[in-house]
């Protein structure tokens, strides 16, 4: 079996040509014994494993890649494969799609405890990785891989190098930062429009003509295979999650009415909370809470968005411009900062900055007397004072 897996590995590497490396390579501590990379389908988890595999091979390390969705592995004991690999001096084990292997958490725990091997594995969700029964959480370092930031999209589209920015830099030096980026001499607003529609998922660059169909197929696979593999939902109820996505798409984010959504999606209110959580964990929904601590937080409904603007364009016939803008901002900012909905303005960031989002003519009327308040405006290239271009927040990772 080990020989067969090595043959598959070499066959896959022969056709692998993606050189662009995601932001996550700068964040992962590869010296850790067990690393988990989780995230939505289509964001580049397998690509990341292959790129790391090539790095290890270049250093003459003994490494084995296994995709656990291979049908012939269903009846094979993973521990026996790892034992054979270890006996011949194996050093690094790269496991793809671990959630497709039955009782994977227990197997990972055993591998960690019994073998002197570094393990990097991928999964579509963090939920089962931290299952208390397997006690895996003490052994694994988790890294969430998101879709392309606007910065990464520009790097791939124009084959250029752009630096990521921290949130404090953007608020304090947005004018000079915008001007430096614009030295690249491309139409930033046109590129931003393209990103909002199709730029979040890396596979866009390979499947431009069929992007939306592939995106919908990807979401269906996440629900039909990944969430069911993790035991989060029975197969017969998966259609309800798909319907829930459509209902959320038709709702105004700030006017979340759980009873209405439950009725429209034809599910009970108690089940709705579970389903929303599952979809958020699978990076199909994005939940933003009010800044309330303690037990009261449980009773406050979150502001619900589709996870990213590409999903809006794929699922919604006529998304409101305001929803698209808020979705982009919340999606990008939530990867690096704490974001909450706000009663004055749209959001608060890191419990400090107050944000109002709008078009180029948006005023400070709603937040004019608040400290650290900013208007984040679409359709502007460079900001002025406390008005910052929306696109610049696509550079936080």
């Amino acid at each position: 079996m080990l020989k067969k897996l090595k043959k598959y590995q070499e066959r896959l590497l022969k056709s692998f040509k993606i050189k662009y490396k995601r932001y996550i390579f700068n964040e992962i501590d590869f010296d850790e014994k067990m690393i988990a990379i989780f995230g939505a389908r289509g964001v580049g988890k397998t690509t990341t494993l292959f790129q790391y595999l090539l790095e290890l091979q270049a250093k003459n390390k003994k490494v084995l890649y296994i995709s656990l969705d291979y049908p012939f592995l269903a009846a094979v004991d993973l521990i026996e494969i790892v034992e054979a690999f270890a006996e011949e001096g194996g050093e690094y084990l790269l496991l793809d799609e671990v959630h497709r292997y039955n009782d994977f958490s227990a197997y990972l725990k055993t591998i960690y405890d019994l073998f002197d091997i570094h393990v990097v594995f991928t999964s579509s969700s963090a939920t089962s990785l931290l299952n208390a029964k397997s006690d895996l959480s003490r052994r694994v370092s988790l890294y969430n891989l998101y879709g392309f930031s606007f910065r990464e999209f520009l790097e791939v589209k124009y084959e250029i190098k752009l630096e990521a920015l921290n949130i404090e830099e953007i608020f304090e030096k947005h004018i000079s930062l915008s001007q430096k980026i614009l030295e690249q001499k491309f139409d930033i607003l046109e590129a931003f429009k393209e990103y909002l529609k199709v730029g979040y998922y890396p596979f866009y660059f390979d499947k431009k003509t069929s992007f939306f169909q592939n995106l919908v197929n990807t979401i269906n696979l996440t629900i039909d295979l990944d969430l069911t593999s993790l035991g989060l939902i029975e197969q017969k109820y998966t259609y309800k999650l798909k319907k829930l996505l459509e209902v959320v798409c038709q709702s105004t984010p700030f006017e979340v009415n759980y009873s209405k959504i439950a009725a429209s999606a034809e599910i009970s209110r108690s089940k709705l909370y579970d389903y929303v959580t599952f979809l958020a964990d699978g990076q199909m929904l994005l939940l933003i809470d009010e800044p309330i601590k303690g037990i009261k937080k449980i009773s406050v409904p979150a502001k619900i968005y589709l996870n990213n603007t590409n999903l809006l364009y794929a699922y919604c016939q006529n998304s409101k411009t305001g929803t698209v803008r808020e979705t982009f901002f919340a999606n990008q900012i939530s990867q690096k900062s704490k974001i909450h909905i706000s009663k004055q303005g749209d959001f608060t960031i890191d419990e400090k900055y107050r944000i109002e989002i709008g078009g180029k003519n948006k005023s400070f009327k709603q937040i004019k007397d608040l400290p650290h308040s900013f208007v984040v405006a679409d359709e502007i290239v460079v900001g002025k004072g406390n008005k910052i271009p929306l696109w610049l927040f696509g550079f936080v990772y």
Side-chain angles (χ1 to χ4, degrees):
M1 180 58 69
L2 192 58
K3 187 176 181 181
K4 183 177 183 179
L5 288 169
K6 287 181 179 180
K7 188 179 294 185
Y8 269 71
Q9 175 176 300
E10 293 309 310
R11 187 179 300 170
L12 289 168
L13 284 178
K14 283 182 181 178
S15 59
F16 181 75
K17 296 182 174 64
I18 301 174
K19 294 182 178 180
Y20 181 79
K21 289 185 177 180
R22 299 293 314 282
Y23 73 91
I24 204 165
F25 268 94
N26 296 323
E27 298 185 356
I28 295 177
D29 180 1
F30 285 108
D31 290 331
E32 297 279 356
K33 185 176 181 181
M34 183 169 282
I35 294 166
I37 302 172
F38 66 96
R41 276 182 176 263
V43 297
K45 300 186 299 296
T46 300
T47 296
T48 300
L49 282 189
F50 281 161
Q51 290 173 332
Y52 186 47
L53 170 59
L54 289 171
E55 283 188 7
L56 291 170
Q57 286 186 335
K59 297 175 182 176
N60 294 316
K61 301 293 185 181
K62 291 190 175 181
V63 54
L64 178 66
Y65 167 86
I66 306 174
S67 179
L68 290 172
D69 64 352
Y70 290 153
F72 62 83
L73 288 177
V76 175
D77 189 330
L78 181 61
I79 300 301
E80 291 182 3
I81 296 174
V82 177
E83 188 172 27
F85 181 55
E87 286 177 353
E88 65 171 37
E91 299 170 277
Y92 292 85
L93 183 65
L94 309 183
L95 301 175
D96 210 0
E97 305 270 6
V98 297
H99 55 279
R100 301 297 303 280
Y101 196 81
N102 189 42
D103 201 19
F104 67 87
S105 292
Y107 279 89
L108 289 171
K109 176 183 177 294
T110 302
I111 293 169
Y112 183 98
D113 292 343
L114 298 184
F115 301 98
D116 186 20
I117 289 178
H118 287 269
V119 179
V120 182
F121 65 89
T122 71
S123 176
S124 64
S125 167
T127 297
S128 290
L129 302 184
L130 300 178
N131 188 330
K133 293 180 183 178
S134 69
D135 199 24
L136 186 61
S137 59
R138 293 190 300 105
R139 296 165 171 80
V140 63
S141 297
L142 294 172
Y143 293 90
N144 197 341
L145 180 59
Y146 306 104
F148 270 164
S149 65
F150 180 45
R151 178 189 69 85
E152 291 179 301
F153 172 77
L154 291 173
E155 286 191 325
V156 174
K157 180 177 174 65
Y158 295 108
E159 298 183 350
I160 56 177
K161 180 65 180 175
L162 297 164
E163 296 298 321
L165 308 171
N166 66 54
I167 198 71
E168 290 82 7
E169 282 183 301
I170 293 176
F171 286 120
E172 294 171 9
K173 301 186 292 185
H174 64 89
I175 296 174
S176 60
L177 292 172
S178 298
Q179 290 171 336
K180 183 178 180 181
I181 293 167
L182 294 169
E183 289 175 2
Q184 296 287 344
K185 305 295 184 185
F186 51 76
D187 190 329
I188 193 75
L189 295 184
E190 280 301 311
F192 185 52
K193 288 178 182 177
E194 183 181 3
Y195 171 83
L196 293 176
K197 290 182 179 179
V198 295
Y200 187 74
Y201 295 90
F203 61 79
Y204 164 66
F205 289 97
D206 295 322
K207 302 175 179 178
K208 289 185 177 181
T209 57
S210 57
F211 173 75
F212 288 117
Q213 183 59 52
N214 278 288
L215 178 52
V216 172
N217 290 341
T218 297
I219 297 305
N220 287 340
L221 283 172
T222 300
I223 294 172
D224 292 335
L225 290 179
D226 298 342
L227 294 183
T228 54
S229 297
L230 289 164
L232 298 178
I233 185 170
E234 293 181 60
Q235 187 70 48
K236 62 183 178 180
Y237 295 127
T238 56
Y239 78 95
K240 290 183 179 288
L241 271 73
K242 297 171 189 176
K243 188 164 186 176
L244 178 56
L245 286 176
E246 295 176 4
V247 172
V248 170
C249 195
Q250 296 161 6
S251 305
T252 302
F254 195 71
E255 298 173 355
V256 173
N257 183 320
Y258 278 87
S259 296
K260 184 177 179 181
I261 290 175
S264 298
E266 298 177 0
I267 55 181
S268 70
R269 186 172 170 126
S270 60
K271 276 293 182 185
L272 173 63
Y273 294 123
D274 289 338
Y275 290 175
V276 165
T277 301
F278 299 156
L279 291 173
D281 193 51
Q283 296 183 21
M284 288 169 278
L285 292 181
L286 185 60
L287 312 180
I288 311 295
D289 292 324
E290 288 186 357
I292 296 174
K293 298 177 181 178
I295 193 68
K296 286 185 178 180
K297 186 177 176 69
I298 299 173
S299 63
V300 176
K303 198 171 182 179
I304 304 178
Y305 297 89
L306 290 185
N307 178 269
N308 59 80
T309 57
N310 290 186
L311 292 178
L312 277 173
Y313 282 98
Y315 275 91
C316 310
Q317 293 294 321
N318 297 296
S319 293
K320 293 182 179 179
T321 302
T323 301
V324 174
R325 290 167 178 163
E326 287 187 29
T327 300
F328 166 78
F329 184 83
N331 168 270
Q332 300 284 284
I333 290 296
S334 63
Q335 323 304 5
K336 295 294 181 181
S337 297
K338 292 181 180 178
I339 180 170
H340 296 99
I341 61 174
S342 176
K343 292 180 179 178
Q344 286 182 280
D346 292 311
F347 301 107
T348 56
I349 308 300
D350 293 332
E351 300 181 354
K352 177 180 179 180
Y353 304 103
R354 196 74 58 116
I355 305 299
E356 178 73 16
I357 297 178
K360 59 184 176 181
N361 296 319
K362 186 69 177 181
S363 73
F364 285 81
K365 182 179 179 181
Q366 291 176 274
I367 54 174
K368 64 179 181 178
D369 298 322
L370 300 174
H372 307 296
S373 59
F374 295 84
V375 165
V376 173
D378 195 8
E379 304 170 313
I380 64 171
V381 176
V382 180
K384 181 180 180 181
N386 280 23
K387 180 175 280 191
I388 306 176
L390 178 60
W391 62 263
L392 190 58
F393 289 91
F395 279 67
V396 294
Y397 73 92

